[in-house]
Structure formats: structure tokens, C-alpha cells
Amino acid sequence: MYTLTHLNELESESIYVLREVAAQFERPVILFSGGKDSIVITHLAHKAFYPLRLPFPLLHIDTGHNFRETIDYRDALVKKLGATLIVGSVQESIDNGRVKEETGYNASRNKLQTITLLDTIEKYKFDAAIGGARRDEEKARAKERFFSHRDEFGQWDPKNQRPELWNIFNGKKNTGEHFRVFPISNWTEMDVWQYIYKERVEMPSLYFTHERDVFCRDGQWLAAEPCMKRKPGEIVERKQVRCRTIGDISCTGLTLSRATSLEEIIDEIAATRVTERGGRADDKRSETAMEDRKISGYF
Amino acid sequence: MEKKETPGGYLDMELLRFTTAGSVDDGKSTLIGRLLYDSKSIFEDQLEDIEAVSRRGGNEEVNLALLTDGLRSEREQGITIDVAYRYFATPRRKFIIADTPGHVQYTRNMVTGASTADLAIILVDARNGVLEQTLRHSYIASLLGIPHVVVCVNKMDLVNFSGEVFEAIRARYLEVAARLGLQHVTFLPLSAKLGDNVVSPSTRMPWYTGPTLMEILENTPIDHKINARETRFPVQHVIRPISDKFHDFRGYAGRLAGGTLKKGDPVTIFPSGLHSTVTAVTRYDRELDEAITPESITVQLADDIDVGRGDLIVARGEQPRVEREITLMVCWFNERPARPGNRYIVMQATRETAGILKTIHHVVNINTLEPETGKEALSANDIARVTIKTAKPLVFDPYARNRVTGSLVLVDPDTFETVGGGMITDGE
């Protein structure tokens, strides 16, 4: 007789949720950003239905401002799993006039992604979009459900969420509505890394310390890529950095680090005193920035 | 078991889920903030954030309560209106807190938060003693079958850390516990604001020699691990790959809801009553010697029989109930009232069927716990004893025996909202 460890129990819970998605929805899709959380979701989904091939396509919302490593990793993973990849292009949304690009030094396509995402969900008639959001990430997410109902405008109503009891998940909806599903809701950043370590999940090189051209803005290191417009006085330096979260280049803060292995990353996280979203420019806009974006249909 | 240390903690910690219910001013948010703060689960940027908000709100001290009050509307009203989930870990355990509001109008939120908890923290203000709301929170813990209750007598600093006050509250609460049939109740005196007995032992209450709250949380046995009981495996999904390599593979995917399961076990499938034998229990590509609750596994059977989502696989001889008329305690969530004759979709374990509300036996007055008969409809936050009739039979155990097979939710067929949560007491 053995007992379940916290990682076994979290994995079991997440696999349960993923299997509920397969049972209750007709056209589910995994929102794949190339970040560790969506990588873990894909890994869990692969395990949940084995020996069946991954039953959900991967949807990548491409802002056009991606790290090359993210795209390489994505394509290799899709090939390895025999999965279907769908790309929703923010550049296309801009070209079609669906969204208007932000201007200025802090311009980011992060917010524009929402429209591209909702358009892609509608185009493919996806009824469940599976994401890697976790409740420990940000205060507005602490109240998110596993099965999060979205109205026909893709909006989240924080005051009118369906109660979620025991392990019964209600995925019923009217035509045109869809669900966001968050199977790793109960995981923390540390759980995710411990799981990656335990399962030996292959990770993009961006998470490990490497040398890169960077510049400093408001105390945060950002990648000196062509899409990043620098203010006068912002000087490019070459530094040893790694990503703690991976998003679009414009909102991914880089951490000065020496961690080159999973063990060292876990050590670094255990010692660190700033939340991982502390490096996300998009959350810093106001005290309730995340809540506002979620209401409008953000991930 | 091998204790393997890894950087940053252990890979084999246990997981404890607990719930807190509290009203404005009883210090619940401060207590949680204190647990997170003293266990070093708060990061610098979160602290800076709440310091800034505290200053803007005119607070002189850092308001730890702000750590748990997330949504804008809550910050504005200064109350917690939904269930918020919080996380922290010690080297022994990872903890999930379901933090719920405590007022009558949020009974549904308390019920939701309590549904998955292994332990409930009941906060009592040392100045006020056992109140109506203490009774209410305790009743919900008992109704939802939470195995352990920890009564925290808070604000001891405001009663001069008096042992007499604590003992009087303890004696009064033991009457409540007896009335509700609560089994495992622990008491401790603390001050969430000053940190006494939360993580560090208090130096101001030498008369108390018991464990701190953190020690209690770290050492309370976790129910499903000590309580194996009958084997219950609700089938979620059938896995049938169409490939040459796995030509005849037919796997039943699900999460074990009771007992254990291993290769060679004779089983019976309900509601059909067909028999078979387990030929393999797997997790991913690995065959398990034995699966335990609550593992997600895939099960293969010896016989080619009709098994699908909604069926329950049990150890042969450990018969569940199979009924179409079911009596349950229900908590009503919705503004649309429930009247006898109303139709609902019933979701129970992985089964789903149409149902009709037949009878409202009584509504519980959750301040006095007295049953009130003669109610014609249930309104939001009511807790009531009702009987439903289902189109297809449910396969269940009484909730007191199994929280997975004994629970159900009711869904409104017009709006698809989850309108009620039920704990089955019996079939007719």
C-alpha cells in the first residue's frame, strides 16, 4: 500500500479534468503558448488518453513577436506527438483591420491577442479552449473555475460564475458560447517545475540561462529584438539571462540567472522573492489589470 | 517510502485541502494572510502591492486581509463574495485553501468551498464566543462531511489571553459538536493579527501547551488515505485507439473514487449488473500493481461487454444502490426558485439523466438548525431535504459513505446553470 504524493494527486485531478473535456465537448482545443504551463497541459493530455493520439489540436496565437526558440520548440513538439497545429495570426488581424496596433514604446500585441483568439475560436467552432492558467498566478485568477463559462462575446462574468462542487464539472452551454478549461488550476509555479523535473519533460531552451542582447526598462530586462522599440538612453547589453515565463517578446521580462539545469531552476524559484508575473509588463498597468483583461475574454 | 529531497522541497509531499468560512471582522482574511506570510509564501511584489493599497485605503498597518480579497468589487466593498483558492507549502505538505465568505447570503459559496475539503477551520471571536454564524459554519462542515474541524478562538489578545475565556468557549462548542455529530474537533487559542499560535507558539498563553495551527495542518491525517472502503470506479471515457499496434485495446478511463483496484480483481458493472475481471490497471504506459483513491487510471476488462461513460465499476460483492427515487440534502444556488414538479438535469459521478423535483420535505433554518416544513419553494442559499425522481436510475452510495458517488448537482435545463448541489441520504 502506498499513498499519493501531491504531484500524483495534482496530476490525477488534471487528467480527470482533461477527460471530462473529451467526454463533454465536441471541439476542444489546447491553447498553446510555448510557455511551461501549456507544455505541461499538453504533456498531461498526452498521458490522459494514451495509447490514443492526442485528441485535441494545439492552437497557437502568434503575435508575430515570438522568440524563434518558441516556434522551433512548438514545431518539434507537434511533430513528436503527431498533433494538429492551428495558428491564429495577430498580424493577420491587424492587416484585416480587426484590431489596431498600439503605438509608443510600451506598445504590446498582448492585448490584441484576445480578438485573434476569439476570432479563431469562432472560425473553427471550438467549444472548449484548454489553457494553462493557474490560480496562484494572480489575484483575479484565484476565483477562476476549472470549467469557466464564456458568453457569446467570449466574456467572463466574475460575479456570475457557476458553482463548482466536488469533482462535477458542468460544461453545458448554448450555441455560440464556449468554455475555457484550466486543468492545472490548483498547481503552483513550484509544482509545475517539480513535475517537469519528475517527468523529465523536455523544455524550450529559453527557460535555461543563455547569453542574450538585452536592455533595461523600469528595472526590468527585456530582449533587444527588432520588434522592441528602445527609448533614448536604453542601451543594449549582453547578459546571462533566462525566461521565468514565456510570452510574446514585448511582455516577457528576462531574469538575470545562472540556472542551466532543472535542479538549478527549482533552487532559484525556491529562493526567489518575486512572483513570476512580477516580470509581466501587461499585469502592471493597474491594480486590477488581469481582471479587466479576463472580463474581455483574455486567456 | 523513499524520501527523496530535491532542490526547493520534496517531490513526495502530501496534499491537504482545507476550507475557512468567516464574516467581516472575525479576522479570517488576516488569519490566512498570516499563514501565507509566516510560511513565507508571500512574495515581495505581492507585499509591496498590498502595502500600497493599504496606504491608499488609509490603513496604518499592512492589511494582510488584502492578500486574499481579489476581485475589484470585493476590494471596494471590503468583503469576500466568492470562493478564492490559496496555496502554500511547507516541507511536509502542500495546502490548498478554499477561502469563503461567511454570511447567510453566501451559504452556497461556503458549501462549494467545503465540498472538496479534508479539514475546516471555524473561527470564533474570543470576545463574542459561539454565535449563530459559528453554528452555521459548523453545520455546513458537518453536512459536507468534512472529516476534521479545527476551532480557532481568535483575537485572544483582546481578552487578555485568558484561559478561562478559551475554556468556556470550548465547553460551549463541544455541545454544538455533539449535536452535529462532528467527529474530530481540535481547539486552539490564537491571535491572527499578532501571530500567536498560527505558525509560532505563543509566549503569552503558557496555559496552552497544544500544537500551533500550522502543526495541526501538517499532521492531520488525510481522509481518503486512511479510509479505503468500497472500490468505486466511475467510467469517464472509453479509450479506443484505431491503430495496428493497439488494435484490440479498449480502456476505461476514470478516477478511482473509493478503495483500490488491481489486475485480477473480480468486478461488477452497474447499472447493468454484468460481471468481469480486471486484466490491467494502467497510468499512461505503465501498468500499476495497484491503484488507490483518488488516482486517475485506465482499466481494461477481460470481457467484451457494453461499458461506457456513466457506468460504475465496483468490486464484486460491494453493491452500490441503484434507484430512481432519491432523497437528498440539497443546497440551492440560484435565484430561480425550485418548486416541486420542476425539471432538472442531474449530474452524479459521471452519470447524467433528467430529473424532477418531487417533494420538499423541509428547509433547514441554518441559524437554529431547526427543520421548517410547509415551504413551497426553495430560494437561493436554502438547505433542504428533498426527494427527486430520475429518468434513468442513479448508481450511488449515501454521501456519508462516499463523497463522490454520493453527491450530485442539478442543472437548469433552460439556462444550463448549476442550480443545486446535493448530498444523497437515501433511496426510497
Side-chain angles (χ1 to χ4, degrees):
Chain A
M1 187 75 184
Y2 59 103
T3 55
L4 283 192
T5 66
H6 71 296
L7 291 177
N8 287 147
E9 197 170 330
L10 290 172
E11 181 191 60
S12 283
E13 177 177 84
S14 302
I15 285 177
Y16 180 84
V17 172
L18 286 162
R19 286 166 166 178
E20 279 304 290
V21 174
Q24 293 197 37
F25 295 93
E26 283 172 22
R27 301 177 81 94
V29 65
I30 292 177
L31 299 177
F32 186 84
S33 69
K36 64 180 185 311
D37 300 314
S38 63
I39 290 169
V40 165
I41 293 283
T42 308
H43 180 82
L44 288 164
H46 170 67
K47 286 184 82 170
F49 300 98
Y50 183 87
L52 194 70
R53 214 165 54 178
L54 192 70
F56 314 128
L58 302 183
L59 168 59
H60 184 215
I61 299 301
D62 183 357
T63 61
H65 293 168
N66 284 295
F67 290 103
R68 187 183 47 79
E69 291 90 335
T70 301
I71 304 295
D72 291 347
Y73 178 91
R74 177 195 79 186
D75 293 344
L77 182 68
V78 164
K79 201 171 155 201
K80 186 173 131 196
L81 297 179
T84 308
L85 174 71
I86 294 160
V87 177
S89 161
V90 174
Q91 185 62 53
E92 222 166 83
S93 302
I94 295 169
D95 295 346
N96 295 340
R98 294 281 298 141
V99 292
K100 194 162 184 299
E101 181 130 46
E102 294 181 8
T103 54
Y105 291 112
N106 288 321
S108 167
R109 290 185 169 180
N110 195 54
K111 204 175 145 198
L112 310 185
Q113 298 185 81
T114 304
I115 300 293
T116 311
L117 172 67
L118 294 177
D119 285 353
T120 312
I121 285 172
E122 196 175 312
K123 179 177 167 192
Y124 290 90
K125 307 262 176 279
F126 291 127
D127 53 2
I130 305 162
R134 308 189 319 268
R135 288 171 179 157
D136 81 320
E137 276 180 272
E138 213 279 339
K139 51 193 176 263
R141 282 185 170 167
K143 310 195 170 186
E144 184 59 275
R145 305 296 194 254
F146 279 90
F147 273 36
S148 181
H149 179 256
R150 302 300 159 106
D151 64 19
E152 59 184 317
F153 304 104
Q155 293 191 337
W156 181 63
D157 180 359
K159 282 193 189 158
N160 194 22
Q161 299 194 77
R162 291 181 183 177
E164 219 158 61
L165 293 94
W166 301 290
N167 52 356
I168 305 175
F169 299 103
N170 171 6
K172 298 189 185 307
K173 61 189 180 322
N174 291 301
T175 323
E177 300 174 341
H178 74 277
F179 273 79
R180 299 290 167 83
V181 180
F182 304 111
I184 60 167
S185 286
N186 277 333
W187 299 42
T188 60
E189 182 185 21
M190 183 56 93
D191 297 328
V192 170
W193 281 111
Q194 286 187 331
Y195 185 74
I196 288 167
Y197 174 78
K198 176 179 155 272
E199 294 279 306
R200 308 256 169 254
V201 180
E202 202 182 312
M203 297 302 286
S205 57
L206 288 167
Y207 280 114
F208 302 95
T209 300
H210 56 281
E211 207 173 74
R212 180 177 290 276
D213 285 340
V214 296
F215 66 97
C216 191
R217 174 177 297 167
D218 303 331
Q220 193 167 102
W221 294 100
L222 296 167
E225 296 280 332
C227 64
M228 298 293 284
K229 207 162 134 193
R230 288 193 303 281
K231 293 177 192 171
E234 288 177 338
I235 305 153
V236 175
E237 297 173 63
R238 196 129 180 102
K239 291 276 184 192
Q240 297 285 329
V241 294
R242 65 177 206 88
C243 296
R244 198 164 158 199
T245 64
I246 295 180
D248 155 285
I249 290 173
S250 68
C251 62
T252 300
L254 301 161
T255 311
L256 298 179
S257 169
R258 294 180 182 196
T260 54
S261 65
L262 287 175
E263 288 90 335
E264 287 168 354
I265 290 175
I266 293 173
D267 262 342
E268 190 179 285
I269 292 164
T272 194
R273 301 298 303 139
V274 177
T275 63
E276 59 188 313
R277 295 200 78 90
R280 294 282 289 245
D282 45 332
D283 287 343
K284 294 202 164 169
R285 294 185 170 193
S286 85
E287 194 191 310
T288 54
M290 172 72 99
E291 189 182 341
D292 294 337
R293 272 179 295 141
K294 276 181 70 74
I295 287 170
S296 67
Y298 184 69
F299 303 86
Chain B
M1 190 172 172
E2 189 193 5
K3 192 85 180 165
K4 210 161 71 179
E5 193 175 357
T6 61
Y10 295 94
L11 286 181
D12 55 356
M13 298 188 292
E14 290 176 318
L15 180 61
L16 181 88
R17 296 171 200 253
F18 68 94
T19 184
T20 56
S23 312
V24 185
D25 297 335
D26 67 3
K28 179 202 57 163
S29 294
T30 310
L31 178 65
I32 293 173
R34 174 62 64 186
L35 276 173
L36 300 177
Y37 186 77
D38 286 0
S39 65
K40 302 192 166 45
S41 309
I42 295 171
F43 294 109
E44 277 169 11
D45 54 334
Q46 287 175 311
L47 202 57
E48 280 167 21
D49 182 31
I50 64 158
E51 277 168 356
V53 177
S54 301
R55 277 196 300 275
R56 277 206 296 280
N59 291 320
E60 284 175 22
E61 292 170 41
V62 174
N63 183 359
L64 289 175
L66 287 174
L67 282 167
T68 59
D69 292 344
L71 301 181
R72 189 201 319 255
S73 42
E74 292 175 70
R75 289 193 166 203
E76 283 165 4
Q77 295 167 36
I79 50 159
T80 314
I81 52 169
D82 203 326
V83 185
Y85 294 89
R86 304 288 162 194
Y87 305 84
F88 68 99
T90 66
R92 288 180 64 105
R93 277 189 179 167
K94 171 192 165 83
F95 298 96
I96 302 179
I97 313 173
D99 177 19
T100 64
H103 283 284
V104 181
Q105 67 265 38
Y106 304 120
T107 298
R108 53 187 172 185
N109 309 85
M110 287 185 257
V111 166
T112 300
S115 73
T116 51
D118 305 307
L119 180 149
I121 288 181
I122 307 280
L123 269 170
V124 177
D125 187 324
R127 295 170 302 175
N128 305 329
V130 175
L131 300 176
E132 218 170 53
Q133 64 161 349
T134 319
L135 201 60
R136 193 163 68 231
H137 300 163
S138 304
Y139 174 64
I140 288 168
S142 116
L143 184 71
L144 273 291
I146 300 178
H148 303 274
V149 170
V150 181
V151 180
C152 294
V153 181
N154 191 24
K155 305 195 181 179
M156 288 301 290
D157 50 313
L158 300 181
V159 294
N160 295 316
F161 299 100
S162 156
E164 286 77 36
V165 170
F166 175 74
E167 280 308 322
I169 291 172
R170 194 169 108 105
R172 171 74 185 92
Y173 190 88
L174 282 171
E175 293 168 22
V176 173
R179 182 171 173 199
L180 294 173
L182 293 171
Q183 300 282 325
H184 309 283
V185 186
T186 315
F187 296 86
L188 85 161
L190 54 80
S191 164
K193 196 174 152 207
L194 302 177
D196 291 59
N197 285 337
V198 179
V199 174
S200 317
S202 171
T203 53
R204 290 175 278 223
M205 290 179 272
W207 48 267
Y208 176 77
T209 53
T212 64
L213 178 57
M214 186 66 94
E215 284 166 347
I216 292 170
L217 293 175
E218 281 192 319
N219 292 296
T220 300
I222 295 170
D223 183 57
H224 58 74
K225 285 162 194 165
I226 53 170
N227 243 334
R229 300 194 224 187
E230 296 98 341
T231 294
R232 296 290 186 258
F233 183 72
V235 176
Q236 252 191 302
H237 191 62
V238 182
I239 296 177
R240 293 199 65 185
I242 305 167
S243 73
D244 290 339
K245 191 172 162 205
F246 297 100
H247 190 66
D248 293 323
F249 186 96
R250 184 197 281 251
Y252 303 105
R255 190 178 187 193
L256 205 51
T260 60
L261 205 57
K262 62 178 188 300
K263 184 175 174 175
D265 281 351
V267 293
T268 306
I269 294 95
F270 284 92
S272 70
L274 295 170
H275 296 308
S276 191
T277 307
V278 174
T279 55
V281 176
T282 52
R283 203 171 64 204
Y284 186 40
D285 59 355
R286 196 164 71 88
E287 203 168 320
L288 301 178
D289 294 335
E290 185 176 56
I292 60 170
T293 304
E295 255 180 312
S296 278
I297 50 174
T298 303
V299 174
Q300 294 169 66
L301 298 178
D303 307 276
D304 189 14
I305 49 178
D306 184 22
V307 180
R309 177 172 170 84
D311 287 340
L312 185 72
I313 298 178
V314 309
R316 200 173 304 165
E318 297 177 348
Q319 180 125 357
R321 306 285 296 266
V322 183
E323 314 272 354
R324 284 185 57 215
E325 262 190 46
I326 295 120
T327 297
L328 53 136
M329 296 302 295
V330 69
C331 175
W332 202 250
F333 298 134
N334 208 261
E335 307 307 328
R336 282 179 90 177
R339 290 196 171 81
N342 282 9
R343 291 170 187 278
Y344 299 100
I345 301 163
V346 181
M347 297 179 81
Q348 179 253 344
T350 55
R351 276 179 94 68
E352 189 182 312
T353 178
I356 193 163
L357 179 60
K358 261 191 72 182
T359 319
I360 298 172
H361 301 288
H362 63 252
V363 174
V364 177
N365 177 326
I366 67 161
N367 290 323
T368 62
L369 306 191
E370 297 301 327
E372 292 174 355
T373 51
K375 279 258 196 170
E376 285 172 8
L378 301 181
S379 32
N381 295 305
D382 276 351
I383 290 176
R385 184 175 169 83
V386 303
T387 295
I388 60 169
K389 185 164 190 176
T390 55
K392 287 188 294 185
L394 297 188
V395 180
F396 66 92
D397 297 291
Y399 185 80
R401 288 198 78 80
N402 190 309
R403 287 169 89 180
V404 177
T405 54
S407 56
L408 57 81
V409 301
L410 300 175
V411 174
D412 187 315
D414 298 329
T415 64
F416 295 136
E417 288 173 301
T418 302
V419 291
M423 291 132 278
I424 303 175
T425 51
D426 215 348
E428 284 296 298

